[in-house]
Amino acid sequence: MAVDSAPSRQENQRVEKTLVLSDAHLKPSDPEGVRRLCHFLEREGAGADTLVVLGDLFDFWFEWRGVIPALGVPVHLCLRGLVEQGVRVVM
């Protein structure tokens, strides 16, 4: 009887971890929501391959191309940290 000692295909495959964030609707009046989101991204995003951001990340409208509202700064830094760790961020 022959026994195949090669590892099974499943043992050789790496599972890709993708996080999907949708419609966070972060508000200037809710800094705790920003803190919770950044905590989640730091905890769960560190081991991810990809983060997909869908829908409205912020719950307000602005049209200034060269300005980041104060609410966006900590979120931008969290996303930037993930990119620097090698996580692909898709918006």
Side-chain angles (χ1 to χ4, degrees):
M1 175 160 98
V3 176
D4 185 3
S5 62
S8 71
R9 183 176 180 158
Q10 288 179 344
E11 291 173 6
N12 287 332
Q13 289 182 339
R14 181 181 173 279
V15 176
E16 184 171 314
K17 180 178 178 182
T18 300
L19 297 178
V20 178
L21 171 66
S22 178
D23 296 303
H25 290 274
L26 299 171
K27 302 174 180 132
S29 62
D30 184 19
E32 179 62 19
V34 173
R35 189 195 67 73
R36 286 193 317 265
L37 175 65
C38 286
H39 178 71
F40 170 79
L41 292 175
E42 289 167 0
R43 187 183 70 237
E44 298 298 326
D49 297 291
T50 305
L51 169 67
V52 180
V53 181
L54 302 172
D56 297 325
L57 186 56
F58 300 103
D59 198 25
F60 64 91
W61 179 263
F62 67 95
E63 294 186 32
W64 303 315
R65 294 186 185 270
V67 175
I68 298 175
L71 172 67
V73 173
V75 176
H76 171 80
L77 293 174
C78 289
L79 295 173
R80 180 179 170 181
L82 291 177
V83 170
E84 288 173 352
Q85 294 175 34
V87 178
R88 185 174 64 142
V89 176
V90 180
M91 301 181 92

